[in-house]
Amino acid sequence: SLGLAWMASPSAGFSASIAVAVHELPQELGDFMVLRSAGFPVGRLLLWNFLVSLTCVAGVALVHALGQTAMAVAVQRYMTAFTAGSFLSLSLNMIFPQVFDSIRKYHSGAAAARAKLLCCALGGLAIYALVKIGDLEGDAHDHGHGHGGHGHGHGHGEL
């Protein structure tokens, strides 16, 4: 997904990189602690974690190797949609129910309503931020050299 995001645009790549880092850092620390408590030696644990993490670099390299060919751009559209759908499925089917279970467990009455409202507000803010990032990408792509919308080979949606 990182390679696809960087292929789409620098702002999409940067946004995806931040999202992956925010997700992966705590995930990797948690995995490390669980596996360490299960008795894995630190050296071997770090080595295997590093080797598994190289799959991300391999994915970026693969996307870079494919380049900007017409077929790669067509595949990019489908893979980006698949990746977005995977993240939505993960958030709506796994994370969202866990958050609401936690709210039910630790809050009641008005506090539960406020917690749910806060979750909805944060979700709305996240959507707003994503739309604004997309708007910035659109503004950044308008180079201001007066081409008047004619096709000039920069990949404005054409295959």
Side-chain angles (χ1 to χ4, degrees):
S1 59
L2 284 178
L4 290 170
W6 281 104
M7 189 173 152
S9 71
S11 64
F14 186 68
S15 299
S17 296
I18 289 173
V20 167
V22 166
H23 167 77
E24 284 299 325
L25 289 174
Q27 179 75 33
E28 292 301 325
L29 286 172
D31 290 348
F32 179 85
M33 297 306 292
V34 167
L35 293 173
R36 182 67 189 118
S37 67
F40 279 82
V42 173
R44 186 180 296 169
L45 181 60
L46 291 174
L47 174 68
W48 281 107
N49 194 358
F50 174 74
L51 292 175
V52 168
S53 296
L54 287 178
T55 59
C56 180
V57 176
V60 171
L62 176 67
V63 170
H64 180 71
L66 290 175
Q68 290 286 340
T69 64
M71 186 176 119
V73 172
V75 169
Q76 175 197 9
R77 289 180 182 176
Y78 293 109
M79 291 304 296
T80 301
F82 175 77
T83 301
S86 297
F87 283 128
L88 280 172
S89 176
L90 176 70
S91 66
L92 294 174
N93 292 322
M94 293 180 70
I95 297 170
F96 189 74
Q98 289 176 356
V99 168
F100 274 85
D101 286 344
S102 180
I103 290 172
R104 271 194 245 45
K105 182 177 179 181
Y106 295 107
H107 301 287
S108 63
R114 283 192 302 272
K116 289 178 183 177
L117 184 61
L118 177 62
C119 288
C120 290
L122 288 174
L125 182 64
I127 291 169
Y128 177 78
L130 290 172
V131 168
K132 285 300 178 187
I133 289 170
D135 288 347
L136 289 173
E137 170 61 24
D139 292 343
H141 196 73
D142 182 18
H143 336 248
H145 64 308
H147 55 75
H150 61 79
H152 60 320
H154 282 304
H156 293 278
E158 68 267 355
L159 291 174

